[in-house]
Amino acid sequence: MENGMKKRQEPETPTNITIKGILSLLMANTDSDDKRRVISLGMGDPTAYSCFRTTAVAVDAAIDTLHSEKFNGYAPTVGLSQTRMAIAEYLSRDLPYKLSPDDVYVTAGCTQAIDVALSVLARPDANILLPRPGFPTYGLCAAFRHIEVRHYDLLPEKDWEVDFNAVEVLADCNTVAMVIINPGNPCGNVYSYCHLKKIAETARRLNIPVIADEVYGHLAFGGKPFVPMGVFGSIVPVLTLGSISKRWLVPGWRLGWFVTSDPNGIFKTPKIIERIKKYCDICGGPATFIQAAVPRIIEETEEIFFKRTISLLKQTSDICCSRIKEIPCITCPHKPQGSLAVMVKLNLSLLKDISDDIDFCVKLAKEESVIILPGLAVGLKDWVRITFAVEPFFLEEAMGRLESFYQRHSVQPNGKFTRLKETNTYFLGK
C-alpha cells in the first residue's frame, strides 16, 4: 500500500433491520405527486396528532426547571437523586416490596436502558433469549455487544403468550437473560398474572434473570390489568426497563430508567453495581432539567389524564380492528389489549403481484401514501404491524386507503370474498 501503510480491516456493521430505517425507506417511496397527506401507522409516536398531548403538568414542570437555571450543569451519570427517588416510589406502588433510589439508574429513554442492560450482562460466549416477534433494538444491541441472539416464539393462537417449550430448549449455561415485553410491542398483548408467574418460575429453574421491557406500562385497555414483572422479583431477579415516553406522551424527552427489581440482591453485589455505574459514566443520561422535572410530573399528574389516554387508545384500537375485518387480505388473530400497535397476518393468496410483506408495504406507501411496518422488521415475515395510536379521523382515512389498495390488488374482481367467521378464512363470493 502507498507510504508503506497496511490496509486496515473495516469494522463489521451489524446487518440488523431497524424500524426507523425501514420506515425511512417507505417514506422515501411515497409518491410526491400524491396530494393526500401521508399517514403513518408505522411509528409508535402518537404525538404527531393533536388528540395525543401530554399533561400541562409535565410541560409546566419542564419549563419551570429550565427557567430556574439550577439544572444547566451535568447530572450524576446514574441520575439526579430526586429523580431516582421519584421513580423508585412510582414503581414501588405496584410491588410487594419497596425499591430504593439506589436500584434506579436514569437513562436517555428506554433504548439506552436496553443498551445498559445488555452491556452489563455481556460476556464471552453469551447468548440472550429474545421474543419473536419483538423489538429489533434488542437484536441490534446484542450484535454490537457480540451476544448471540436466540429467538423464542410468541404464540398468536394463545394471545401471543410465551412458548415455554422453546425457552426450555434454547437456554443453556451461557444464557445471560430472557427478555419479555409487556404490554406487548409489536403484538398489543397484555400478560396475565399467572403467565408472568410462570415466566418467573421458568427463568428461575433455568437460572437466568428476566429483562422486563415495560415502556408501555399501564397502557392496558382490555380485560387484563397491567402487572409489572417486578412483582415476581423474589422468585427471579428482574431488570425493569421503562420510561415516561409512552404513558406521559413525551417520547422526545428521552427520559427512561434501568431498575434492579431484585429484593434478593442478586444484582446488588459491589462488582455488578460498579459495572453498571461505569457503563453509565460512559453513556451519560438525559438532560438535567428534564430529570429535575420528573418528581413533579409523577406526583402531580392527575388520574384523569391517564384515563383519557386509555379511553382514546381503546377507541382507536376498536376502529382499527373493525376496519381490519372489512379487508379480507389481513387478519388480526387477537384484538389488542394494550400498548399502541397490533400484529396483522397477510393472506398473500388473495393478492396478485404482491410477493411478501415488504412488497406489500412498499407498494402501499407508493400508491396510497400510507405507511405500515413490515412484519420482517419485528421478526415475523408476511405479517405487518399497524399502529393505531392515531387521531380517529386519520386512522379511518388510512384504513380506507388500505381497503382500496386491497381491492386494486385482489385476485378476485372487486375484491369480493366472504369471511368464515369461525376460522377467519375466506372463499370467493358470487
Side-chain angles (χ1 to χ4, degrees), residues 235-251:
I235 297 176
V236 66
V238 177
L239 300 178
T240 299
L241 316 183
S243 77
I244 65 171
S245 298
K246 309 299 185 180
R247 196 181 189 201
W248 272 272
L249 302 175
V250 286

mmCIF file of all heavy atoms in Angstrom, residues 235-251:
data_model
loop_
_atom_site.group_PDB
_atom_site.id
_atom_site.type_symbol
_atom_site.label_atom_id
_atom_site.label_comp_id
_atom_site.label_asym_id
_atom_site.label_seq_id
_atom_site.Cartn_x
_atom_site.Cartn_y
_atom_site.Cartn_z
ATOM 1 N N ILE A 235 -38.868 -14.300 43.146
ATOM 2 C CA ILE A 235 -38.716 -15.611 42.504
ATOM 3 C C ILE A 235 -37.492 -15.624 41.597
ATOM 4 O O ILE A 235 -36.699 -16.573 41.603
ATOM 5 C CB ILE A 235 -39.973 -15.965 41.686
ATOM 6 C CG1 ILE A 235 -41.192 -16.088 42.600
ATOM 7 C CG2 ILE A 235 -39.759 -17.263 40.888
ATOM 8 C CD1 ILE A 235 -42.497 -16.349 41.855
ATOM 9 N N VAL A 236 -37.339 -14.546 40.798
ATOM 10 C CA VAL A 236 -36.228 -14.438 39.857
ATOM 11 C C VAL A 236 -35.805 -12.973 39.786
ATOM 12 O O VAL A 236 -36.660 -12.088 39.860
ATOM 13 C CB VAL A 236 -36.651 -14.966 38.465
ATOM 14 C CG1 VAL A 236 -37.728 -14.094 37.837
ATOM 15 C CG2 VAL A 236 -35.464 -15.112 37.528
ATOM 16 N N PRO A 237 -34.523 -12.692 39.683
ATOM 17 C CA PRO A 237 -34.112 -11.285 39.559
ATOM 18 C C PRO A 237 -34.631 -10.683 38.255
ATOM 19 O O PRO A 237 -34.572 -11.308 37.198
ATOM 20 C CB PRO A 237 -32.583 -11.332 39.594
ATOM 21 C CG PRO A 237 -32.222 -12.742 39.268
ATOM 22 C CD PRO A 237 -33.352 -13.585 39.746
ATOM 23 N N VAL A 238 -35.143 -9.452 38.348
ATOM 24 C CA VAL A 238 -35.750 -8.770 37.207
ATOM 25 C C VAL A 238 -35.044 -7.441 36.971
ATOM 26 O O VAL A 238 -34.822 -6.675 37.923
ATOM 27 C CB VAL A 238 -37.259 -8.525 37.444
ATOM 28 C CG1 VAL A 238 -37.860 -7.735 36.277
ATOM 29 C CG2 VAL A 238 -37.997 -9.836 37.645
ATOM 30 N N LEU A 239 -34.690 -7.191 35.732
ATOM 31 C CA LEU A 239 -34.204 -5.875 35.330
ATOM 32 C C LEU A 239 -35.349 -5.182 34.611
ATOM 33 O O LEU A 239 -35.752 -5.590 33.522
ATOM 34 C CB LEU A 239 -32.982 -5.997 34.415
ATOM 35 C CG LEU A 239 -31.761 -6.699 35.017
ATOM 36 C CD1 LEU A 239 -30.637 -6.787 33.984
ATOM 37 C CD2 LEU A 239 -31.284 -5.972 36.260
ATOM 38 N N THR A 240 -35.907 -4.167 35.251
ATOM 39 C CA THR A 240 -37.068 -3.469 34.707
ATOM 40 C C THR A 240 -36.617 -2.263 33.891
ATOM 41 O O THR A 240 -35.872 -1.415 34.381
ATOM 42 C CB THR A 240 -37.994 -3.000 35.840
ATOM 43 O OG1 THR A 240 -38.459 -4.137 36.582
ATOM 44 C CG2 THR A 240 -39.190 -2.237 35.286
ATOM 45 N N LEU A 241 -37.089 -2.199 32.642
ATOM 46 C CA LEU A 241 -36.778 -1.083 31.753
ATOM 47 C C LEU A 241 -38.070 -0.324 31.471
ATOM 48 O O LEU A 241 -39.109 -0.933 31.201
ATOM 49 C CB LEU A 241 -36.174 -1.581 30.443
ATOM 50 C CG LEU A 241 -35.098 -2.669 30.520
ATOM 51 C CD1 LEU A 241 -34.577 -2.978 29.127
ATOM 52 C CD2 LEU A 241 -33.967 -2.270 31.449
ATOM 53 N N GLY A 242 -37.990 0.999 31.530
ATOM 54 C CA GLY A 242 -39.194 1.785 31.280
ATOM 55 C C GLY A 242 -38.861 3.229 30.983
ATOM 56 O O GLY A 242 -37.694 3.617 30.876
ATOM 57 N N SER A 243 -39.903 4.036 30.869
ATOM 58 C CA SER A 243 -39.709 5.456 30.592
ATOM 59 C C SER A 243 -41.022 6.193 30.790
ATOM 60 O O SER A 243 -42.082 5.567 30.969
ATOM 61 C CB SER A 243 -39.204 5.674 29.158
ATOM 62 O OG SER A 243 -40.261 5.537 28.237
ATOM 63 N N ILE A 244 -40.949 7.526 30.711
ATOM 64 C CA ILE A 244 -42.161 8.329 30.722
ATOM 65 C C ILE A 244 -42.677 8.567 29.308
ATOM 66 O O ILE A 244 -43.703 9.210 29.116
ATOM 67 C CB ILE A 244 -41.944 9.690 31.438
ATOM 68 C CG1 ILE A 244 -40.943 10.567 30.683
ATOM 69 C CG2 ILE A 244 -41.507 9.479 32.881
ATOM 70 C CD1 ILE A 244 -40.849 11.991 31.225
ATOM 71 N N SER A 245 -41.988 8.030 28.317
ATOM 72 C CA SER A 245 -42.264 8.347 26.917
ATOM 73 C C SER A 245 -43.695 8.061 26.502
ATOM 74 O O SER A 245 -44.356 8.906 25.887
ATOM 75 C CB SER A 245 -41.318 7.552 26.008
ATOM 76 O OG SER A 245 -39.984 7.890 26.246
ATOM 77 N N LYS A 246 -44.192 6.858 26.796
ATOM 78 C CA LYS A 246 -45.480 6.424 26.270
ATOM 79 C C LYS A 246 -46.632 6.837 27.181
ATOM 80 O O LYS A 246 -47.630 7.385 26.707
ATOM 81 C CB LYS A 246 -45.479 4.899 26.079
ATOM 82 C CG LYS A 246 -44.290 4.356 25.303
ATOM 83 C CD LYS A 246 -44.206 4.907 23.890
ATOM 84 C CE LYS A 246 -43.066 4.242 23.123
ATOM 85 N NZ LYS A 246 -42.929 4.729 21.758
ATOM 86 N N ARG A 247 -46.521 6.561 28.475
ATOM 87 C CA ARG A 247 -47.644 6.862 29.360
ATOM 88 C C ARG A 247 -47.889 8.361 29.460
ATOM 89 O O ARG A 247 -49.025 8.808 29.561
ATOM 90 C CB ARG A 247 -47.405 6.266 30.755
ATOM 91 C CG ARG A 247 -48.685 6.216 31.576
ATOM 92 C CD ARG A 247 -48.502 5.654 32.957
ATOM 93 N NE ARG A 247 -49.804 5.458 33.579
ATOM 94 C CZ ARG A 247 -50.025 5.356 34.875
ATOM 95 N NH1 ARG A 247 -48.993 5.423 35.731
ATOM 96 N NH2 ARG A 247 -51.244 5.188 35.349
ATOM 97 N N TRP A 248 -46.810 9.151 29.432
ATOM 98 C CA TRP A 248 -46.956 10.614 29.509
ATOM 99 C C TRP A 248 -46.918 11.281 28.126
ATOM 100 O O TRP A 248 -46.987 12.492 28.037
ATOM 101 C CB TRP A 248 -45.878 11.198 30.420
ATOM 102 C CG TRP A 248 -46.285 11.252 31.861
ATOM 103 C CD1 TRP A 248 -46.961 12.265 32.491
ATOM 104 C CD2 TRP A 248 -46.053 10.257 32.865
ATOM 105 N NE1 TRP A 248 -47.153 11.960 33.818
ATOM 106 C CE2 TRP A 248 -46.601 10.730 34.083
ATOM 107 C CE3 TRP A 248 -45.427 9.018 32.869
ATOM 108 C CZ2 TRP A 248 -46.553 10.012 35.268
ATOM 109 C CZ3 TRP A 248 -45.381 8.293 34.038
ATOM 110 C CH2 TRP A 248 -45.939 8.782 35.226
ATOM 111 N N LEU A 249 -46.777 10.481 27.071
ATOM 112 C CA LEU A 249 -46.807 11.005 25.691
ATOM 113 C C LEU A 249 -45.719 12.044 25.438
ATOM 114 O O LEU A 249 -45.963 13.100 24.850
ATOM 115 C CB LEU A 249 -48.199 11.597 25.386
ATOM 116 C CG LEU A 249 -49.385 10.629 25.550
ATOM 117 C CD1 LEU A 249 -50.702 11.361 25.342
ATOM 118 C CD2 LEU A 249 -49.267 9.463 24.572
ATOM 119 N N VAL A 250 -44.499 11.714 25.857
ATOM 120 C CA VAL A 250 -43.359 12.607 25.625
ATOM 121 C C VAL A 250 -42.132 11.808 25.161
ATOM 122 O O VAL A 250 -41.063 11.883 25.769
ATOM 123 C CB VAL A 250 -43.004 13.431 26.896
ATOM 124 C CG1 VAL A 250 -44.027 14.525 27.135
ATOM 125 C CG2 VAL A 250 -42.894 12.518 28.128
ATOM 126 N N PRO A 251 -42.249 11.053 24.053
ATOM 127 C CA PRO A 251 -41.108 10.221 23.630
ATOM 128 C C PRO A 251 -39.858 11.022 23.305
ATOM 129 O O PRO A 251 -38.736 10.522 23.463
ATOM 130 C CB PRO A 251 -41.650 9.485 22.402
ATOM 131 C CG PRO A 251 -42.795 10.315 21.917
ATOM 132 C CD PRO A 251 -43.399 10.911 23.148
#
